[in-house]
Amino acid sequence: MLGTIREFWRDQRGIAMVFAAMLLPVIIGLALLAIDMSRAGGLHNDMQKGADAYALAAAAELDGNTDAITRANSAITNLLKTNRTLFSTSGSHTLVPADLTVTYLYNIPANDTITLSPAGVDSNGVDWSTTDPKLAKFAEITVNSTAFATIFPASFVGGSNGMNLTTQAVAGFTNALCQFTPMFICNPYTSLGALQTALTGTTKPMIWLKEQTGGNTAQYGPGNYGFLSSPEGDKSTQTLTEMFAVTNPPACYSQTGVTTRPGNIPPVNDGINTRFDIYPNGNSGKLIPADAPPAPNVRKGMVVKNNGNSCSYDLPNSGQANNYKALPRDNCFYSGGCTQAGVLGNGSWDFSGYWSVNHGNASTSGVVTACGANPSRYCVYKYEIDNPTLKSGQEKTPPQCNSTTQSADRRLLYVAIIDCVANTVQGGSQNLPVQAFASVFVTEPAGGPPNADIYGEIQDISTTVGLGTLKKLQRNEAQLYR
């Protein structure tokens, strides 16, 4: 009997079953936990995709107009109506606005490790939220806490048989303008608002743009101009000149900011002046006329010289002076009294003298009807294009050398406007905020060394008070930031 007991005690057959029975609840529990984690991961992934979609849809409407937030909210509402959730404890549930917290931000923390609350307050206590549609640049979407029942019976170990998840996404609206000349000008007005006010009428004051030539430490001031770094890397002076000459410069610049080009850049007047049918040194093969055509109206008060493929001009001699006249500068540039250190005119120019020299006794009623009693030079320029039978003097309106002409916009330079005083612009390689992008009508050929002056009229700007002519160059995109 005792031997039998000892034999039973030493017998190890079937012990694996005992251990398996003991571990079975643990194995099942871990399996259920793994399933729950997989379900939670799937739900979180789908919630994040939804938050991303809502943020992008809202951000795409944040263009700075007064109805931007209204349109953004409408975009979210329309998406909510067409989407349902299946993983939550409520089963198949049509999403409603209460499922989301939507906050609009004027900016976001520079470091992604700084978290944002659903109300737009970061972990340092900074409130980035705004209700002003003109300031809203980012849409923050927080998917409110969503619960689902777990398979793992956590209540047996004192836990909860459910799990709550939340996700967040932040998307922003980027506004870039493409096919832009790599150039910036220092706002000649005291503020962006003053510039916008000046452009609301039919009269367009002239701006005298001067290149800053004092070196990298020289302070740029109102009316100075400089160059921007190319998105493809800074190029040679010849390449930069070609970017001013061609009809579609390969460059896009963000309205949030630009970078100035380092180094001293020689004047790019050769590139600008192709618009006037003027090609450097008889062209000499550097600028291809087909890629850098003139405008349909190249009147500039100069006498053409046509020598084969050479397109060049001379100023009229004393016997020709009375028969050639370019679009005049503002009267104050001749008599003094122009504002902002002499770089900003008042819009008063010798229209009657220009008309008399170039169109004789032809009636001005048509141009006055189209452009007003005190017309802008750009409007007169376009009127001459639209009326090819208009009586003309010695200088012809169309180009005489290169017949590959473009639209009237060919005489426009597209530039970034920067507050050079507030931002202490000096030299290159500075990252600067852009007040607006603008189109500048060049009224006469650009000067060469050493002055490199450019005279023109600012025609339109990319702000909400603009005329909308720059929209064709805008590339608006929404992108995720968080």
Side-chain angles (χ1 to χ4, degrees):
M1 181 67 177
L2 185 60
T4 303
I5 294 173
R6 286 196 187 104
E7 186 178 350
F8 177 77
W9 180 256
R10 292 170 182 170
D11 191 354
Q12 296 184 7
R13 290 175 295 176
I15 194 168
M17 263 186 136
V18 175
F19 283 117
M22 294 173 59
L23 291 175
L24 187 59
V26 177
I27 295 172
I28 294 175
L30 290 175
L32 293 178
L33 190 61
I35 293 172
D36 283 337
M37 290 301 99
S38 176
R39 292 173 64 224
L43 176 58
H44 187 275
N45 185 55
D46 286 351
M47 289 171 62
Q48 188 62 58
K49 288 180 179 178
D52 293 347
Y54 292 127
L56 287 169
E61 305 296 336
L62 301 181
D63 57 2
N65 288 308
T66 55
D67 63 342
I69 288 180
T70 300
R71 287 185 282 106
N73 288 334
S74 178
I76 292 174
T77 301
N78 290 335
L79 276 180
L80 288 171
K81 292 177 181 178
T82 58
N83 285 276
R84 305 172 69 86
T85 177
L86 299 175
F87 288 161
S88 68
T89 53
S90 55
S92 180
H93 165 66
T94 301
L95 296 172
V96 295
D99 292 320
L100 306 177
T101 298
V102 182
T103 304
Y104 296 99
L105 314 173
Y106 67 86
N107 209 336
I108 56 176
N111 194 326
D112 286 346
T113 61
I114 302 174
T115 59
L116 281 169
S117 74
V121 180
D122 70 21
S123 53
N124 294 325
V126 179
D127 188 351
W128 300 94
S129 65
T130 182
T131 57
D132 188 341
K134 294 183 179 180
L135 299 179
K137 295 181 180 178
F138 300 90
E140 178 193 27
I141 303 296
T142 303
V143 179
N144 297 332
S145 183
T146 301
F148 76 102
T150 60
I151 302 174
F152 182 79
S155 58
F156 285 126
V157 292
S160 173
N161 293 336
M163 185 178 296
N164 292 313
L165 298 175
T166 183
T167 55
Q168 186 183 86
V170 176
F173 182 83
T174 59
N175 184 310
L177 283 91
C178 298
Q179 300 178 2
F180 236 68
T181 42
M183 181 178 182
F184 73 89
I185 67 173
C186 299
N187 192 346
Y189 292 85
T190 55
S191 66
L192 177 61
L195 170 60
Q196 293 179 143
T197 300
L199 296 180
T200 56
T202 57
T203 300
K204 306 294 184 184
M206 173 169 275
I207 180 174
W208 177 10
L209 298 172
K210 304 176 182 180
E211 185 180 18
Q212 177 56 268
T213 56
N216 288 334
T217 60
Q219 171 69 48
Y220 282 69
N224 284 144
Y225 73 87
F227 303 101
L228 300 174
S229 285
S230 167
E232 298 179 351
D234 292 321
K235 304 294 186 179
S236 65
T237 298
Q238 177 61 27
T239 303
L240 188 66
T241 300
E242 291 173 359
M243 291 182 71
F244 276 83
V246 297
T247 56
N248 297 313
C252 292
Y253 296 98
S254 171
Q255 189 150 348
T256 58
V258 293
T259 302
T260 56
R261 191 185 193 282
N264 293 320
I265 310 299
V268 293
N269 55 296
D270 286 345
I272 296 173
N273 290 343
T274 58
R275 294 160 172 77
F276 290 92
D277 203 27
I278 300 174
Y279 297 88
N281 302 319
N283 197 28
S284 67
K286 292 184 177 180
L287 294 174
I288 302 173
D291 294 337
N297 181 348
V298 297
R299 192 183 301 278
K300 52 193 169 293
M302 301 178 73
V303 182
V304 66
K305 295 191 303 183
N306 194 342
N307 302 315
N309 291 326
S310 174
C311 294
S312 57
Y313 294 80
D314 283 333
L315 291 172
N317 57 39
S318 57
Q320 300 169 319
N322 292 332
N323 297 320
Y324 290 84
K325 189 176 183 67
L327 286 166
R329 301 169 187 172
D330 279 1
N331 296 328
C332 65
F333 284 116
Y334 300 106
S335 60
C338 288
T339 59
Q340 287 285 59
V343 301
L344 188 61
N346 55 16
S348 175
W349 59 287
D350 185 14
F351 165 62
S352 60
Y354 171 83
W355 191 267
S356 176
V357 169
N358 291 296
H359 304 300
N361 59 2
S363 173
T364 61
S365 60
V367 69
V368 170
T369 299
C371 304
N374 298 303
S376 70
R377 278 154 285 231
Y378 184 53
C379 192
V380 172
Y381 156 84
K382 291 197 296 183
Y383 182 84
E384 291 175 329
I385 296 173
D386 295 337
N387 294 272
T389 61
L390 181 67
K391 180 179 179 181
S392 184
Q394 293 296 314
E395 184 177 7
K396 305 301 181 183
T397 298
Q400 300 300 298
C401 292
N402 184 353
S403 60
T404 310
T405 58
Q406 291 291 309
S407 68
D409 290 351
R410 180 66 176 136
R411 285 265 293 270
L412 295 176
L413 286 179
Y414 298 101
V415 301
I417 297 180
I418 293 172
D419 187 340
C420 294
V421 176
N423 292 287
T424 315
V425 178
Q426 293 178 318
S429 297
Q430 288 183 273
N431 296 317
L432 301 170
V434 177
Q435 289 184 304
F437 288 99
S439 55
V440 178
F441 171 59
V442 183
T443 59
E444 61 185 75
N451 296 324
D453 295 340
I454 302 171
Y455 288 87
E457 292 176 338
I458 299 179
Q459 295 302 311
D460 197 9
I461 52 179
S462 60
T463 65
T464 54
V465 303
L467 302 175
T469 60
L470 296 177
K471 290 186 179 296
K472 61 185 178 182
L473 304 176
Q474 289 181 328
R475 179 181 295 172
N476 301 327
E477 298 178 343
Q479 67 180 58
L480 288 170
Y481 287 86
R482 287 172 169 247

